């Protein structure tokens, strides 16, 4: 039976619950334990798949095709444990499940209420995989006091009460604001946050206090006294230069020891932190620097490209190189020449996205990279724009474009080099989709196999001719254009096993130009950088030496 750690937040949002959860999971692993991490989100969307990147940031995709919160990306990057569909749930999914059961008659005509029906559904979710790991870490989104989160907090209260004593603990993150006028750290918001928790029947076993300034000993004692927590279980959490310092920083602050003490695990196994010491050594002792331009359409919110930013960092660590990623709004190139903006960069990355806005700018970025021999990595839509660019400028299809843009404009304007994917093979069955299907969960989602052309650049990079990568798209490059495009120097070096869906393209006469239909950034980790990103940064280093 797993021990459960529930992670909640108070005072303000965006305190770093996901990062604290991921770091704690990594520390427990370092002591020899197995872990799983889960996210419970109170919003009423069924999942973040249909939410704007400006609203929610990146959508993280699991191997089994779940569209989840970006915190699951942190969980994977810090623990190496692949997230699953059963590691993410929202109020929308919970209520949807309850209403489906009610319509089927599963409740035998009873009046459906938050307690017990909604809370039981949440508890059933928490129990999934109960016997698979030593520790189950469950993060609750939002802050204590949010009306949407009340059913989750009540479910946790019941869950802890129903399990054997000592099998579950609560870790609460709060903020200690600093008032410059008085030169003081204020503990009152933390006290009120804990009081709010206590009012709904929950009491924290461990308090993690975020602060921009050192927390004096007397303040830690005061927090412990007024929040009814042992002083050793009040853990300071300060701002860090890099998120990958978090496991070592939290260990120095005593977080993992406080958690094990709360469970009564003594003596606890000693941690082996060599992995994280190596990660920090690679980040803090780079032997060079490269500049990478990320030409995207959601550049106002960096969380929209969170996994890409982290994968570039990992690629830099593999090469002991600092990667300075700079965000450029693709729409600028709709109006202006990209050359003044892109000159001086050692590599260009064009990420995924949806809709026509900014796509002409992305195409111009691909043209600049191809013609100027600058390393280029196109991901999902970034690959499609590279193909359209080659179709227009090399294959003579002047009006090459995507069906996505015609569907959006409700007008026929382009020769569809990229078309709406209506049918594909998933496992042992065929999936069929129509352009007017509901948007949620209807894309080609999750891990799919691709076969690589022997001797191609990507086969050399992967060291294999068979790979498995995660996808999230509903438009696909049309295979009927492969022959014509390959005559112009574009190599289709990766295909789906049935040979129908292009997965990877590369330019023959170019130092490094690769487009991929999948999302390699989702599988990159600081201690296991994704090979594409590692080689992309290596190519950027080569370009930097030539400048």
């Amino acid at each position: 039976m797993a021990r459960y750690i529930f992670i909640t937040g108070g005072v303000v949002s965006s305190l770093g619950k996901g990062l604290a959860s991921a770091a704690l999971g990594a520390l427990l692993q370092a002591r020899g334990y197995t872990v799983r991490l889960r996210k419970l989100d109170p919003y009423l969307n069924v999942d973040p798949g249909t939410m704007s990147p400006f609203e929610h940031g990146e959508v993280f995709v699991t191997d089994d095709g779940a569209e989840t919160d970006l915190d699951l990306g942190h969980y994977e990057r810090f623990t190496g444990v692949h997230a699953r569909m059963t590691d993410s749930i929202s109020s929308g999914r919970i209520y949807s499940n309850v209403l489906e059961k009610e319509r089927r008659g599963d409740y035998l005509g009873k009046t459906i209420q938050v307690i017990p029906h909604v809370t039981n559904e949440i508890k059933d979710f928490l129990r999934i995989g109960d016997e698979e790991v030593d520790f189950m870490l469950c993060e609750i989104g939002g802050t204590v006091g949010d009306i949407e989160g009340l059913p989750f907090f009540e479910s946790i209260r019941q869950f802890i009460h129903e399990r054997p004593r000592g099998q579950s603990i609560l870790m609460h993150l709060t903020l200690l604001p600093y008032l410059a006028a008085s030169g003081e750290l204020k503990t009152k918001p933390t006290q009120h946050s804990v009081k709010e928790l206590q009012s709904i029947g929950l009491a924290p076993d461990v308090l993690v206090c975020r602060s921009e300034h050192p927390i004096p000993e007397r303040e830690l004692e005061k927090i412990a006294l007024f929040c009814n927590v042992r002083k050793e279980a009040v853990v300071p959490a300060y701002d860090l230069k890099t998120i990958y310092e978090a496991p070592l920083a939290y260990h120095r602050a005593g977080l993992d020891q406080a958690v094990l003490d709360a469970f009564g695990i003594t003596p606890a196994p000693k941690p082996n932190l060599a992995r994280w010491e190596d990660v920090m050594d690679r980040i803090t002792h780079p032997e060079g620097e490269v500049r990478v331009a990320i030409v995207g359409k959601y550049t106002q919110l960096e969380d929209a490209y969170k996994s890409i930013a982290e994968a570039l960092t990992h690629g830099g660590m593999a090469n002991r190189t600092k990667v300075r990623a700079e965000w450029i709004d693709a729409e600028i190139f709709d109006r202006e020449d990209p050359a003044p903006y892109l000159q001086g960069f050692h590599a260009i990355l064009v990420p995924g996205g949806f809709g026509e806005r900014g796509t002409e700018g992305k195409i111009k970025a691909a043209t600049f990279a191809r013609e100027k021999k600058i390393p280029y990595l196109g991901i999902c839509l970034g690959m499609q724009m590279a193909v359209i660019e080659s179709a227009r400028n090399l294959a003579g299809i002047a009006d090459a474009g995507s069906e996505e843009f015609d569907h959006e404009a409700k007008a026929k304007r382009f020769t569809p080099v990229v078309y709406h994917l209506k049918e594909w093979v998933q496992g042992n069955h065929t999936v069929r989709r129509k352009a007017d299907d509901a948007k949620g969960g209807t894309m080609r989602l999750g891990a799919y196999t691709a076969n690589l052309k022997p001797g191609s650049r990507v086969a050399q990079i992967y060291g294999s001719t068979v790979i498995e990568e995660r996808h999230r798209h509903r438009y696909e490059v049309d295979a009927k254009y492969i022959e014509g495009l390959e005559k112009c120097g574009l190599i289709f070096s990766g295909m789906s096993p049935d040979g129908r869906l292009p997965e990877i393209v590369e330019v023959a006469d170019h130092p490094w130009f690769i487009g991929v239909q999948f999302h390699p950034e989702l599988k990159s980790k600081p201690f296991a950088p994704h090979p594409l990103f590692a080689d992309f940064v290596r190519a950027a280093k080569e370009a930097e030496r030539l400048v």
Side-chain angles (χ1 to χ4, degrees), residues 409-462:
K410 295 181 171 57
K412 179 76 172 69
R413 298 169 297 157
F414 296 108
T415 295
V417 173
V418 176
Y419 72 105
H420 181 266
L421 187 57
K422 301 172 182 64
E423 183 177 298
W424 67 91
V425 176
Q426 183 175 8
N428 57 4
H429 70 282
T430 299
V431 179
R432 292 182 175 85
R433 294 281 184 250
K434 297 192 295 292
D436 58 355
D437 280 351
K439 299 300 181 193
T442 57
M443 286 184 274
R444 187 174 180 234
L445 292 166
Y448 288 86
T449 300
N451 294 336
L452 309 186
K453 186 174 288 187
S456 63
R457 181 182 292 277
V458 286
Q460 294 169 7
I461 291 170
Y462 277 97

Side-chain angles (χ1 to χ4, degrees), residues 65 111 117 151 169 211 231 262 282 301 313 435 484 534:
T111 301
H117 302 97
I169 69 166
S211 173
K231 179 177 172 294
R282 288 175 176 273
L301 183 67
T313 299

Side-chain angles (χ1 to χ4, degrees), residues 181-230:
S182 60
E184 291 180 304
L185 281 172
K186 308 305 291 185
T187 65
K188 192 64 72 176
T190 292
Q191 295 176 44
H192 281 297
S193 183
V194 171
K195 186 178 179 181
E196 182 78 25
L197 263 181
Q198 291 170 336
S199 72
I200 54 179
L202 293 169
D205 299 280
V206 177
L207 267 178
V208 177
C209 300
R210 285 293 308 274
S211 173
E212 295 177 350
H213 298 268
I215 305 173
E217 202 69 17
R218 68 178 183 277
E219 300 300 328
L220 294 173
E221 292 171 355
K222 181 179 179 181
I223 292 168
L225 177 64
F226 284 99
C227 295
N228 200 32
V229 177
R230 291 181 307 104

Side-chain angles (χ1 to χ4, degrees), residues 157-196:
R157 186 194 67 78
Q158 294 178 20
F159 189 86
I160 293 173
H161 180 70
E162 292 165 4
R163 290 174 66 81
R165 186 180 295 274
Q167 287 296 111
S168 306
I169 69 166
L170 186 70
M171 183 174 108
H172 191 55
L173 272 75
T174 67
L175 174 70
L176 296 189
Y178 178 78
L179 295 186
S182 60
E184 291 180 304
L185 281 172
K186 308 305 291 185
T187 65
K188 192 64 72 176
T190 292
Q191 295 176 44
H192 281 297
S193 183
V194 171
K195 186 178 179 181
E196 182 78 25

Side-chain angles (χ1 to χ4, degrees), residues 289-292 312 319 321 323 345-348 374-376 512 533-547:
E289 179 177 301
V290 295
R291 294 178 67 211
V292 177
L312 283 171
N319 293 275
T321 300
V323 177
F345 284 100
H346 308 120
I348 296 169
I374 297 172
Y376 174 93
W512 208 101
F533 279 89
D535 205 60
F536 180 55
V537 174
R538 180 203 58 75
K541 280 186 70 176
E542 291 294 322
E544 186 266 340
R545 291 193 185 103
L546 296 173
V547 172

Side-chain angles (χ1 to χ4, degrees), residues 275-294:
R275 167 187 279 182
W276 292 103
E277 289 164 353
D278 178 61
V279 164
M280 281 307 299
D281 180 63
R282 288 175 176 273
I283 288 179
T284 55
H285 297 95
E287 297 170 359
E289 179 177 301
V290 295
R291 294 178 67 211
V292 177
I294 302 177

